Amino acid sequence: MIRLATLEDIPAIAEMGERFHGEAGWEDIAGYSVEDCSISLRQMIEGDLGIVIVAEDEGRIVGIAGGLIFPLYFNHAHKSGQELFWYVEPGRRDGLGRKLKTALEDEARKAACQSWTMIALDKVSPEATGRLYRRDGYRAAEHSWIRRL
């Protein structure tokens, strides 16, 4: 079952986020704080500037997705959003990742977003992720580069 996250889900989401952080390649940039992640998740769940969804299997959270909602800095009439995290337990081959992405997009539409941005991490199958995005109507817009200062 895929549903909007509740405050009670925060510990499980933050724990899963820590696993995602380790796989995503951020360890050389910034460490992961379960406490800080939990604060951010609370703000996203309680406010109207974020979306957090979970996928459950037999009452256990097995997938998470979330993003922010904001007006574009150059056109405040255009409400947009961007995925921050999208993660499913490794080894699942049941289409859950795609279902989570679709649910995230559906929630963005309900929040009146006119556009949505998805991320493809260079460390986690960027070619396959790019093919999925293109099949779903996304186009490449830019490529980000990061370094620790």
Side-chain angles (χ1 to χ4, degrees), residues 10 14-15 18 32-42:
I10 289 175
E15 179 185 317
E18 189 167 25
Y32 185 88
S33 167
V34 170
E35 182 180 339
D36 289 347
C37 182
S38 297
I39 291 167
S40 296
L41 288 167
R42 176 178 286 279

Side-chain angles (χ1 to χ4, degrees), residues 2 4 51 53 69 98-113 116 118 138:
I2 295 176
L4 287 171
I51 301 167
I53 58 175
I69 299 171
R98 189 174 195 129
K99 291 173 188 171
L100 266 173
K101 184 183 78 58
T102 299
L104 190 59
E105 294 165 339
D106 290 345
E107 291 300 325
R109 280 186 201 91
K110 289 178 190 174
C113 285
W116 189 258
M118 293 294 291
Y138 287 85

Side-chain angles (χ1 to χ4, degrees), residues 96-135:
L96 184 58
R98 189 174 195 129
K99 291 173 188 171
L100 266 173
K101 184 183 78 58
T102 299
L104 190 59
E105 294 165 339
D106 290 345
E107 291 300 325
R109 280 186 201 91
K110 289 178 190 174
C113 285
Q114 296 163 280
S115 60
W116 189 258
T117 300
M118 293 294 291
I119 298 168
L121 296 168
D122 279 353
K123 193 172 178 183
V124 185
S125 305
E127 295 83 15
T129 304
R131 284 191 300 274
L132 169 70
Y133 291 161
R134 282 189 293 281
R135 276 194 310 262

